[in-house]
Amino acid sequence: DAGVIQSPRHEVTEMGQEVTLRCKPISGHNSLFWYRQTMMRGLELLIYFNNNVPIDDSGMPEDRFSAKMPNASFSTLKIQPSEPRDSAVYFCASSLGDPTEAFFGQGTRLTVV
Amino acid sequence: KQEVTQIPAALSVPEGENLVLNCSFTDSAIYNLQWFRQDPGKGLTSLLLIQSSQREQTSGRLNASLDKSSGRSTLYIAASQPGDSATYLCAVKLGGGSNYKLTFGKGTLLTVNP
């Protein structure tokens, strides 16, 4: 397996634009995590899916953020409209349930100007 | 609310030196603690996982200890090498209904100079 695949690797967008980040988890994994990493706040859990169902989205900072998992092999994190303070590295991770056994993707570095 | 702190934020050492990275957490009711390595532009790679009932775990030149009652963990790296240069993060997992959550520290950026 190629591991957790995220796209794009880098995204630069203007304030107010819609941004969509994509994640393909490892085949067979039933848990998917979206994290955000910033210098100020470190790595934070945004949302957790189990069997394609959002279990906990309490980490999603604002209504501008939304996430979907239409099937077991694909998830998206959307920001609309984007703001400069959304600039961060966004990671997707997947596991067979236990977060300590999760595999991380390489992340998407988002810059909003 | 669980908070995880890592000190120092950055550390630079000469090759061959033994070193210790520190991690502290505010709520001792953890299920386990995990150390990760993060290379620039890459995701996190798990290094060591210590269950709350354990005192330490070892893997090669790495040794992680856990003192749950005092809310501390250390990662000891023996005979450091330039290839050890990376950011090291610790994370704690709570038990019970939040057992899918990891709370991360901000990391220690380690540079090992040849």
Side-chain angles (χ1 to χ4, degrees), chain A residues 44-66:
Chain A
E44 301 173 290
L45 178 66
L46 298 177
I47 186 167
Y48 162 59
F49 290 90
N50 185 257
N51 292 323
N52 312 337
V53 176
I55 303 300
D56 185 348
D57 66 354
S58 60
M60 298 285 261
E62 299 172 37
D63 291 345
R64 299 183 295 107
F65 286 69
S66 62

Short mmCIF file of all heavy atoms in Angstrom, two decimals, chain A residues 44-66:
data_model
loop_
_atom_site.label_atom_id
_atom_site.label_comp_id
_atom_site.label_asym_id
_atom_site.label_seq_id
_atom_site.Cartn_x
_atom_site.Cartn_y
_atom_site.Cartn_z
N GLU A 44 -3.48 19.76 16.17
CA GLU A 44 -4.81 19.67 16.78
C GLU A 44 -5.73 18.80 15.93
O GLU A 44 -5.71 18.89 14.70
CB GLU A 44 -5.44 21.06 16.87
CG GLU A 44 -4.68 22.09 17.66
CD GLU A 44 -5.33 23.45 17.52
OE1 GLU A 44 -5.26 24.04 16.42
OE2 GLU A 44 -5.91 23.94 18.51
N LEU A 45 -6.54 18.00 16.61
CA LEU A 45 -7.52 17.18 15.90
C LEU A 45 -8.70 18.05 15.47
O LEU A 45 -9.30 18.74 16.29
CB LEU A 45 -8.02 16.06 16.81
CG LEU A 45 -9.10 15.15 16.23
CD1 LEU A 45 -8.55 14.34 15.05
CD2 LEU A 45 -9.66 14.22 17.31
N LEU A 46 -9.01 18.02 14.20
CA LEU A 46 -10.14 18.78 13.68
C LEU A 46 -11.41 17.94 13.68
O LEU A 46 -12.46 18.36 14.17
CB LEU A 46 -9.87 19.27 12.25
CG LEU A 46 -8.69 20.23 12.08
CD1 LEU A 46 -8.51 20.57 10.61
CD2 LEU A 46 -8.91 21.49 12.90
N ILE A 47 -11.31 16.73 13.11
CA ILE A 47 -12.49 15.88 12.99
C ILE A 47 -12.05 14.43 12.90
O ILE A 47 -10.97 14.13 12.41
CB ILE A 47 -13.35 16.27 11.76
CG1 ILE A 47 -14.67 15.49 11.71
CG2 ILE A 47 -12.56 16.11 10.46
CD1 ILE A 47 -15.67 16.05 10.71
N TYR A 48 -12.91 13.55 13.41
CA TYR A 48 -12.64 12.11 13.44
C TYR A 48 -13.83 11.38 12.81
O TYR A 48 -14.97 11.62 13.19
CB TYR A 48 -12.43 11.67 14.88
CG TYR A 48 -12.56 10.19 15.14
CD1 TYR A 48 -11.75 9.27 14.48
CD2 TYR A 48 -13.49 9.70 16.06
CE1 TYR A 48 -11.87 7.92 14.73
CE2 TYR A 48 -13.61 8.36 16.33
CZ TYR A 48 -12.80 7.46 15.65
OH TYR A 48 -12.92 6.12 15.90
N PHE A 49 -13.52 10.54 11.82
CA PHE A 49 -14.52 9.69 11.18
C PHE A 49 -14.29 8.23 11.57
O PHE A 49 -13.14 7.78 11.63
CB PHE A 49 -14.41 9.77 9.65
CG PHE A 49 -14.84 11.07 9.04
CD1 PHE A 49 -13.92 12.10 8.85
CD2 PHE A 49 -16.15 11.27 8.63
CE1 PHE A 49 -14.31 13.29 8.26
CE2 PHE A 49 -16.54 12.46 8.04
CZ PHE A 49 -15.62 13.47 7.86
N ASN A 50 -15.38 7.53 11.80
CA ASN A 50 -15.30 6.09 11.98
C ASN A 50 -16.32 5.44 11.05
O ASN A 50 -17.51 5.79 11.10
CB ASN A 50 -15.56 5.69 13.44
CG ASN A 50 -15.36 4.21 13.67
OD1 ASN A 50 -16.33 3.45 13.77
ND2 ASN A 50 -14.13 3.78 13.74
N ASN A 51 -15.86 4.50 10.22
CA ASN A 51 -16.74 3.88 9.23
C ASN A 51 -17.51 4.92 8.40
O ASN A 51 -18.72 4.80 8.19
CB ASN A 51 -17.71 2.90 9.90
CG ASN A 51 -17.00 1.69 10.47
OD1 ASN A 51 -16.05 1.19 9.89
ND2 ASN A 51 -17.44 1.26 11.65
N ASN A 52 -16.78 5.95 8.00
CA ASN A 52 -17.27 7.02 7.14
C ASN A 52 -18.22 7.99 7.83
O ASN A 52 -18.72 8.92 7.20
CB ASN A 52 -17.97 6.49 5.88
CG ASN A 52 -17.18 5.41 5.17
OD1 ASN A 52 -15.97 5.33 5.31
ND2 ASN A 52 -17.87 4.58 4.42
N VAL A 53 -18.47 7.82 9.10
CA VAL A 53 -19.40 8.67 9.85
C VAL A 53 -18.61 9.63 10.73
O VAL A 53 -17.71 9.19 11.45
CB VAL A 53 -20.35 7.82 10.73
CG1 VAL A 53 -21.24 8.71 11.57
CG2 VAL A 53 -21.17 6.88 9.85
N PRO A 54 -18.93 10.93 10.69
CA PRO A 54 -18.22 11.87 11.58
C PRO A 54 -18.64 11.63 13.03
O PRO A 54 -19.82 11.71 13.36
CB PRO A 54 -18.68 13.24 11.08
CG PRO A 54 -19.99 13.00 10.41
CD PRO A 54 -19.91 11.63 9.83
N ILE A 55 -17.65 11.31 13.86
CA ILE A 55 -17.92 11.01 15.26
C ILE A 55 -17.73 12.24 16.14
O ILE A 55 -18.49 12.48 17.07
CB ILE A 55 -17.02 9.87 15.76
CG1 ILE A 55 -17.21 8.61 14.89
CG2 ILE A 55 -17.27 9.57 17.22
CD1 ILE A 55 -18.61 8.06 14.89
N ASP A 56 -16.69 13.00 15.85
CA ASP A 56 -16.38 14.17 16.67
C ASP A 56 -15.82 15.27 15.77
O ASP A 56 -14.74 15.09 15.21
CB ASP A 56 -15.36 13.79 17.74
CG ASP A 56 -15.08 14.94 18.71
OD1 ASP A 56 -15.48 16.09 18.43
OD2 ASP A 56 -14.44 14.69 19.75
N ASP A 57 -16.56 16.33 15.62
CA ASP A 57 -16.08 17.48 14.83
C ASP A 57 -15.90 18.71 15.73
O ASP A 57 -15.88 19.84 15.25
CB ASP A 57 -17.03 17.79 13.69
CG ASP A 57 -18.39 18.27 14.17
OD1 ASP A 57 -18.63 18.25 15.39
OD2 ASP A 57 -19.22 18.65 13.33
N SER A 58 -15.73 18.48 17.02
CA SER A 58 -15.62 19.60 17.95
C SER A 58 -14.35 20.42 17.73
O SER A 58 -14.26 21.55 18.19
CB SER A 58 -15.66 19.10 19.39
OG SER A 58 -14.60 18.21 19.65
N GLY A 59 -13.39 19.86 17.05
CA GLY A 59 -12.16 20.58 16.77
C GLY A 59 -12.22 21.47 15.55
O GLY A 59 -11.29 22.26 15.31
N MET A 60 -13.27 21.39 14.79
CA MET A 60 -13.42 22.25 13.61
C MET A 60 -13.60 23.68 14.11
O MET A 60 -14.55 23.97 14.85
CB MET A 60 -14.63 21.82 12.78
CG MET A 60 -14.50 20.40 12.25
SD MET A 60 -13.36 20.29 10.89
CE MET A 60 -14.53 20.31 9.53
N PRO A 61 -12.70 24.58 13.70
CA PRO A 61 -12.67 25.90 14.33
C PRO A 61 -13.89 26.76 14.07
O PRO A 61 -14.31 27.51 14.95
CB PRO A 61 -11.39 26.52 13.76
CG PRO A 61 -11.08 25.75 12.53
CD PRO A 61 -11.62 24.39 12.72
N GLU A 62 -14.42 26.70 12.87
CA GLU A 62 -15.56 27.56 12.53
C GLU A 62 -16.43 26.88 11.49
O GLU A 62 -16.05 25.87 10.92
CB GLU A 62 -15.03 28.90 11.95
CG GLU A 62 -14.16 29.69 12.89
CD GLU A 62 -13.54 30.88 12.19
OE1 GLU A 62 -14.20 31.50 11.34
OE2 GLU A 62 -12.37 31.19 12.49
N ASP A 63 -17.59 27.48 11.27
CA ASP A 63 -18.49 26.95 10.25
C ASP A 63 -17.91 27.03 8.85
O ASP A 63 -18.43 26.39 7.92
CB ASP A 63 -19.84 27.69 10.28
CG ASP A 63 -20.63 27.39 11.54
OD1 ASP A 63 -20.27 26.40 12.23
OD2 ASP A 63 -21.57 28.12 11.85
N ARG A 64 -16.86 27.77 8.70
CA ARG A 64 -16.22 27.86 7.38
C ARG A 64 -15.55 26.53 7.01
O ARG A 64 -15.24 26.29 5.84
CB ARG A 64 -15.17 28.96 7.37
CG ARG A 64 -15.72 30.36 7.64
CD ARG A 64 -14.62 31.41 7.54
NE ARG A 64 -13.59 31.26 8.56
CZ ARG A 64 -12.37 30.81 8.33
NH1 ARG A 64 -12.00 30.47 7.10
NH2 ARG A 64 -11.51 30.70 9.30
N PHE A 65 -15.32 25.71 8.02
CA PHE A 65 -14.68 24.42 7.81
C PHE A 65 -15.74 23.32 7.72
O PHE A 65 -16.66 23.27 8.55
CB PHE A 65 -13.74 24.09 8.96
CG PHE A 65 -12.46 24.87 8.98
CD1 PHE A 65 -12.46 26.24 9.24
CD2 PHE A 65 -11.24 24.25 8.73
CE1 PHE A 65 -11.27 26.97 9.25
CE2 PHE A 65 -10.05 24.96 8.76
CZ PHE A 65 -10.07 26.32 9.02
N SER A 66 -15.58 22.43 6.75
CA SER A 66 -16.46 21.27 6.66
C SER A 66 -15.67 20.09 6.14
O SER A 66 -14.68 20.26 5.43
CB SER A 66 -17.65 21.56 5.74
OG SER A 66 -17.21 21.82 4.41
#
